[in-house]
Amino acid sequence: MQREELGAAMQPSSSLPTAWQATLPAIAWLLGLAGLQQLRTLPTVLTLAGLALLGLIALALAFIWRRRRLLALLALCFAISMLAFAQAAWRAQLRLDEALPAAWEGRDLLLRGRVASLPTAVQGIGGAPGWRFEFELDAGLDPQSGQALTSQLPRRLLLSWYAAPEQAPPALQAGERWQLLARLKQPHGLMNPHAFDYELWLFEQDLRATGVVREVQTRAQAQNKRRQAAPWWSLDSWRQRLRQALQAQVSDPAVAGILAALSLGDQAAISKADWGLFRDTGVAHLLSVSGLHVTMFAWGIQGLFGWLWRRSARACLMLPAVTAARWAGVLAALSYALFSGWGVPAQRTVWMLLSVALLRSLGLRWPWSLILLAAAVVVTAIDPFAISQAGFWLSFFAVGLLMASGSDGGEQTAAGGWRAQLRAGLHSQWVATLGLTPLSLLFFQQISVVGLLANLLAIPLVSFVIAPLSLAGALLPSLWWLAEGCVRGLMAYLHGLAQLPWAVWTLPVAPLWAQAAGLCAGALLVLPLPWRLRLLGLPMALPLLWPAPWQPAQGEFELLAADIGQGNAVLVRTATHSLLYDSGPQFAPGIDAGQRVLLPLLRALGVARLDRLMLSHRDSDHVGGAASLLAGMPVGLLHSSLEPEHGLLGEASARGVLLQTCTQGQTWVWDGVAFELLHPRAEHYPQGLKSNAMSCVLRLRSLASGKTALLTGDLEAAQELELVQQLGPQALRSTVLLVPHHGSKTSSSAEFLAAVAPQVAMAQMGYRNRFGHPAPGVAARYQAQGIALLRSDECGACRWRSEAAPTSRPVYLGECQRELGLRFWHWRPAPVTAEMGPWPDGDVGLRD
């Protein structure tokens, strides 16, 4: 599609009023879908039938009132909104009905089906290499009873397969049919404030269970086997062969991953470190198959096809060259989008190009807003849950801003020579950078200050050189070497920008009203309006750019037990200070709770500096994220029971962090909150006690309300009894208790619980963890003593405030993030049965 043709299709015409009236029903469709996303539970069948009936009645009224344009339009918008809501809710219920029954969680199942995606290389706990892939189920079987389970299991699964120790991962390819022995679990992810919703992503991708392939020693060869290779002519096979050829030709795996992302849509091939660089420099939108890449590919094919078509007089007599080239471009865009994984940006572009082609073929001209909304309606009619993706809004909002601001190209720009082209490019960059800033803050809580500089080079280089070369390499592999050199040059430039001290501006999450005002401000600043109106955007943006995050009152404190899987990490905040007690586990080499959960959480809450990082003891589920925290955020003091030769102490010291050893009797006061170390004693250090016995035990007391909290690490029964005998119940009495050792049977003794006498206890543990935490006897002990037990696997992140206002409950028990942010797609607790097996290592419910 030529740029001037695309612009002409969007110019006003005599049918403008009618076209603009179609904009409101399209908006009503999207509002109906957005309304569904806010529900905690889906409507009943009766309610849906009632909504559909209301929609049909409104549709009839719109027809009856057709001569009264305003009433008819309002009735039509209401009808479309109700029908959009009802059909999406019905489809959502069908998807939820495919969920894995709780009775089959954690049990070995025999699965037969097809590898439905390009396998992504991953690492498990301990660095075991493996694959993660989508699996379309053909049949399922219980290997013990022989019971057929096909009708009870979801048809689409997300599986991980890790290699056995000292073995290479299996040779897995897209499109193959396999028989696998696997353990499945319901969609369940970590739930923290302002964090990525893994369960929503699984729901939107229609993956209704996750699982781990089992390597059972005596049966592995018989159970896990390839049943059929991928057909050579299938799209899966072509994509797999292209990726293998690219990886063989390009020596640098990082560069090969970038080229695979641009040609195949394989975004998982880009390393986590590189994604971080792209986000920090504001070019992440380019390093995937975006609408710009699809459009450029379509334009190139259109120009080539038109040139060839004009060489034949007979062909031109059959069909004008312009029309033939236009539809060839649309087919090229569709082919590229399908080959690259059919992502939302690619879908949006295909539907836009198809709409423009249809309009031009019919001799119609619509305004830009209707073209864009029509594409959004088509995308969400096919996939109503695409509206939940950040990419959906970023993609459509960016194109809408460029169109509305006049950055749509056209003949005038083309006729103005290179100066006009340069001005148009700079204007487009300014519009995209400024207009998308509120959305970047909304979704990612950061702004790339160097984004404009980065995109000035990255957009033309990626769009006109690297992306075409990555595709052309499929025909002439030597072109990948040239693409590799361009990528290396771009990466060096981006690394240089990212090293600047002001490269990234990170902000805490603003209130909803401030986010809405910021979106309006971004639109005002870039739209072609009088400058008096544009400048109104500046004060509207201030609440988003300088939010005032909540802080406890003087003399009070807040505990936030983050959902980090199997491990401990509790954020303690006072009016002006922050302490993090433990740093969570390491999930795999280079992937830990500090990097993936705690740093984003702290930044979203407005915590720019940790005054104290306390590591209770050396176990990896308590110190696994500490290195990432030290590297990613200023830390004033590291307080721990670690041995002097521990590597974390050396790393902290090298960064200028003060070091202090946990010793009973240490005290300090922050903002009217008293802190006291109760364990270990100085004489414990030379005794060579095991790590759990050396856990730092911290007690907090609000000097305003008198509420107290006790953080215990992995303290075990012997040390619990020692504390009770030495200090007495009065020194241990606390309102809230961090459950010792995640609820292990070796801790939470009856004497200790009687001495502490908490009202609420927080237990941090992984979902279906292999240790069986909390032990049934321990959970029963808390219940018998009337202590509310908040489990992170069921509660998500748990927040408790000493200054909490009285509620309808007689005792304030804290807040669960899973309850606060509950939506209809989220996991809900089910009764645990003895048949449910433990969960294998390697899958913690995280996504890049």
Side-chain angles (χ1 to χ4, degrees):
M1 200 77 48
Q2 297 296 331
R3 261 183 106 176
E4 56 269 21
E5 185 176 320
L6 181 61
M10 299 177 182
Q11 295 305 313
S13 70
S14 59
S15 61
L16 181 61
T18 303
W20 276 100
Q21 287 173 10
T23 299
L24 292 179
I27 294 175
W29 171 274
L30 296 177
L31 288 176
L33 298 179
L36 178 67
Q37 302 293 314
Q38 310 308 313
L39 296 185
R40 296 168 67 88
T41 58
L42 288 175
T44 63
V45 175
L46 187 61
T47 302
L48 286 180
L51 292 175
L53 181 60
L54 281 176
L56 292 175
I57 293 173
L59 199 60
L61 289 175
F63 178 77
I64 295 172
W65 294 337
R66 62 186 181 277
R67 297 185 183 277
R68 302 179 180 181
R69 289 190 175 182
L70 180 58
L71 288 177
L73 185 59
L74 292 176
L76 180 63
C77 290
F78 179 80
I80 290 176
S81 181
M82 289 297 99
L83 292 175
F85 181 94
Q87 64 87 24
W90 173 66
R91 293 169 68 177
Q93 188 61 61
L94 292 178
R95 188 164 289 188
L96 291 180
D97 288 342
E98 290 189 9
L100 176 73
W104 294 108
E105 280 193 295
R107 297 174 61 178
D108 288 346
L109 303 176
L110 201 59
L111 310 175
R112 291 181 178 177
R114 183 176 70 91
V115 178
S117 68
L118 288 174
T120 301
V122 293
Q123 285 186 313
I125 295 176
W131 300 109
R132 182 164 294 152
F133 55 97
E134 296 176 14
F135 193 72
E136 288 186 355
L137 189 69
D138 293 331
L141 183 74
D142 179 4
Q144 295 183 350
S145 65
Q147 177 185 355
L149 303 174
T150 307
S151 61
Q152 301 182 46
L153 302 180
R155 58 185 176 83
R156 284 175 52 81
L157 311 168
L158 181 65
L159 298 182
S160 301
W161 191 351
Y162 301 101
E166 300 180 357
Q167 291 186 7
L172 200 66
Q173 297 189 4
E176 295 178 332
R177 296 192 177 274
W178 277 77
Q179 174 178 285
L180 301 172
L181 186 70
R183 281 189 179 176
L184 303 180
K185 67 177 179 180
Q186 296 177 346
H188 185 284
L190 306 181
M191 286 285 288
N192 290 289
H194 319 300
F196 174 75
D197 193 337
Y198 179 67
E199 294 173 33
L200 173 59
W201 180 83
L202 289 173
F203 177 80
E204 200 281 326
Q205 299 295 318
D206 196 17
L207 299 168
R208 302 306 303 138
T210 63
V212 174
V213 176
R214 300 274 284 158
E215 291 281 3
V216 182
Q217 291 183 353
T218 58
R219 298 182 294 170
Q221 297 302 320
Q223 303 290 8
N224 299 330
K225 58 185 179 182
R226 182 185 289 106
R227 300 179 64 242
Q228 182 181 335
W232 67 267
W233 44 262
S234 67
L235 184 61
D236 287 332
S237 182
W238 291 348
R239 298 182 74 208
Q240 184 75 52
R241 287 199 297 269
L242 180 59
R243 187 172 76 169
Q244 290 174 336
L246 198 156
Q247 291 172 340
Q249 192 78 19
V250 179
S251 58
D252 188 340
V255 176
I258 292 172
L259 297 180
L262 290 171
S263 57
L264 298 169
D266 186 14
Q267 297 185 35
I270 298 179
S271 68
K272 300 169 184 63
D274 286 344
W275 271 125
L277 174 66
F278 299 149
R279 283 192 296 268
D280 290 346
T281 53
V283 301
H285 63 101
L286 289 174
L287 278 304
S288 60
V289 179
S290 67
L292 178 62
H293 301 148
V294 175
T295 303
M296 294 302 301
F297 182 71
W299 283 346
I301 296 298
Q302 176 178 332
L304 177 61
F305 195 85
W307 181 82
L308 293 174
W309 194 270
R310 292 185 182 92
R311 305 279 75 77
S312 171
R314 180 178 299 179
C316 290
L317 290 175
M318 294 174 55
L319 189 67
V322 173
T323 303
R326 181 188 303 130
W327 286 102
V330 171
L331 290 176
L334 177 62
S335 301
Y336 182 24
L338 288 172
F339 193 75
S340 61
W342 197 237
V344 167
Q347 291 181 46
R348 183 260 301 162
T349 305
V350 169
W351 299 130
M352 282 189 63
L353 294 176
L354 179 60
S355 300
V356 173
L358 284 172
L359 291 172
R360 297 298 291 163
S361 297
L362 296 174
L364 299 176
R365 293 182 179 180
W366 282 4
W368 65 266
S369 61
L370 191 54
I371 292 284
L372 191 63
L373 285 171
V377 168
V378 171
V379 169
T380 52
I382 297 171
D383 179 10
F385 314 114
I387 199 171
S388 63
Q389 296 183 20
F392 176 91
W393 297 104
L394 288 168
S395 176
F396 280 95
F397 202 78
V399 174
L401 284 175
L402 291 172
M403 290 179 175
S405 65
S407 303
D408 58 317
E411 297 177 0
Q412 184 176 358
T413 301
W418 68 269
R419 291 184 179 86
Q421 295 280 1
L422 179 61
R423 284 195 299 269
L426 291 174
H427 181 252
S428 298
Q429 285 303 301
W430 170 253
V431 167
T433 301
L434 186 61
L436 292 181
T437 292
L439 274 181
S440 297
L441 284 175
L442 181 63
F443 291 123
F444 310 117
Q445 288 84 55
Q446 71 176 41
I447 303 172
S448 175
V449 181
V450 298
L452 183 60
L453 292 175
N455 278 286
L456 282 176
L457 174 64
I459 285 183
L461 184 60
V462 173
S463 302
F464 298 105
V465 181
I466 297 176
L469 288 175
S470 67
L471 288 170
L475 301 176
L476 189 60
S478 59
L479 293 176
W480 281 330
W481 292 343
L482 181 58
E484 181 179 5
C486 294
V487 170
R488 290 181 184 276
L490 175 62
M491 295 295 285
Y493 176 66
L494 296 179
H495 276 292
L497 291 177
Q499 295 302 316
L500 297 174
W502 40 266
V504 182
W505 186 13
T506 302
L507 292 171
V509 174
L512 185 60
W513 65 268
Q515 296 174 6
L519 292 175
C520 294
L524 277 176
L525 288 170
V526 300
L527 290 177
L529 298 171
W531 277 104
R532 292 180 180 179
L533 292 178
R534 289 196 189 190
L535 292 177
L536 289 176
L538 294 178
M540 292 177 65
L542 287 178
L544 181 64
L545 296 176
W546 281 276
W550 179 90
Q551 293 286 353
Q554 183 72 20
E556 304 289 355
F557 66 90
E558 178 197 55
L559 299 180
L560 179 60
D563 189 4
I564 40 84
Q566 187 69 23
N568 274 159
V570 180
L571 175 65
V572 181
R573 290 200 290 170
T574 65
T576 63
H577 291 82
S578 298
L579 177 148
L580 185 66
Y581 183 88
D582 282 338
S583 61
Q586 183 183 55
F587 304 122
I591 307 175
D592 57 64
Q595 168 203 60
R596 300 291 295 276
V597 179
L598 298 175
L599 282 174
L601 175 62
L602 292 170
R603 291 165 181 163
L605 295 175
V607 178
R609 179 181 187 273
L610 285 174
D611 298 285
R612 192 170 300 223
L613 173 60
M614 181 172 290
L615 302 178
S616 63
H617 61 296
R618 68 170 180 263
D619 286 2
S620 61
D621 58 331
H622 295 254
V623 303
S628 294
L629 287 165
L630 291 169
M633 177 171 288
V635 176
L637 185 147
L638 178 60
H639 208 161
S640 73
S641 63
L642 302 178
E643 57 273 16
E645 63 273 13
H646 198 285
L648 280 173
L649 298 184
E651 183 172 348
S653 181
R655 295 181 180 276
V657 179
L658 299 177
L659 305 179
Q660 188 172 6
T661 301
C662 291
T663 307
Q664 186 185 79
Q666 293 171 343
T667 62
W668 68 95
V669 177
W670 282 346
D671 307 317
V673 177
F675 295 76
E676 182 182 5
L677 261 296
L678 305 183
H679 185 82
R681 299 199 304 273
E683 57 266 29
H684 286 152
Y685 283 94
Q687 293 178 6
L689 301 177
K690 66 178 184 178
S691 61
N692 287 353
M694 296 299 295
S695 294
C696 302
V697 177
L698 178 65
R699 187 172 186 262
L700 300 79
R701 181 169 59 90
S702 164
L703 300 182
S705 64
K707 301 291 182 62
T708 52
L710 189 66
L711 309 181
T712 58
D714 278 357
L715 204 67
E716 296 192 347
Q719 289 72 43
E720 292 175 352
L721 183 59
E722 182 181 344
L723 280 176
V724 172
Q725 293 173 346
Q726 181 198 6
L727 302 178
Q730 191 60 38
L732 296 174
R733 188 89 53 194
S734 299
T735 314
V736 60
L737 170 69
L738 179 65
V739 173
H741 203 180
H742 322 288
S744 168
K745 61 183 179 181
T746 63
S747 304
S748 297
S749 59
E751 297 83 359
F752 182 72
L753 292 184
V756 178
Q759 296 174 349
V760 58
M762 299 177 179
Q764 291 182 289
M765 64 194 68
Y767 177 66
R768 302 188 59 79
N769 62 86
R770 62 190 179 96
F771 306 101
H773 296 157
V778 171
R781 200 174 299 149
Y782 280 89
Q783 184 179 14
Q785 297 200 23
I787 303 169
L789 181 61
L790 302 182
R791 304 170 39 164
S792 62
D793 58 340
E794 297 180 352
C795 180
C798 180
R799 189 194 306 266
W800 186 90
R801 293 172 176 171
S802 64
E803 60 180 319
T807 64
S808 58
R809 296 172 295 187
V811 177
Y812 171 66
L813 300 179
E815 301 166 350
C816 289
Q817 183 62 30
R818 189 168 287 277
E819 177 63 25
L820 292 174
L822 184 65
R823 296 295 183 267
F824 63 83
W825 57 79
H826 283 143
W827 174 90
R828 289 168 170 79
V832 179
T833 66
E835 294 181 345
M836 297 181 186
W839 188 248
D841 291 338
D843 189 351
V844 292
L846 290 172
R847 175 167 167 77
D848 300 339

